[in-house]
Amino acid sequence: SYLVSGFIVLIPYVVFSPATALPVSIGLSLALLFALGILGGKLSGTSLVRNGLTMASVGGVAILIGMVSGYLLEMMAVGVLF
């Protein structure tokens, strides 16, 4: 299932230019994480919306950390940082 969900968020890179694909892929990732959180809430009998928001929030923070890390590494590679 991880392999399939990993390919779903890569589809925008096949359809759109890289500048457009990135925000579409992020939005798609967050939507899928929200849906996965809802499913988890349904299976555990807890709040669907709360679980969905929690899952999307944690995923959003992970995406943000990855984006900032990539940006900082790129700046280091071109000599802007350090």
Side-chain angles (χ1 to χ4, degrees):
S1 79
Y2 178 76
L3 184 67
V4 172
S5 59
F7 278 118
I8 291 173
V9 297
L10 293 177
I11 291 172
Y13 291 95
V14 175
V15 178
F16 303 109
S17 69
T20 303
L22 179 62
V24 171
S25 180
I26 291 171
L28 188 57
S29 296
L30 293 174
L32 290 171
L33 285 167
F34 184 79
L36 186 60
I38 288 175
L39 178 62
K42 192 169 191 163
L43 292 174
S44 65
T46 57
S47 171
L48 303 182
V49 173
R50 183 174 179 176
N51 278 357
L53 289 174
T54 299
M55 184 73 86
S57 298
V58 170
V61 169
I63 290 168
L64 181 63
I65 290 170
M67 297 283 296
V68 170
S69 298
Y71 175 77
L72 292 174
L73 287 172
E74 181 180 359
M75 292 299 107
M76 287 172 55
V78 296
V80 176
L81 293 176
F82 307 111

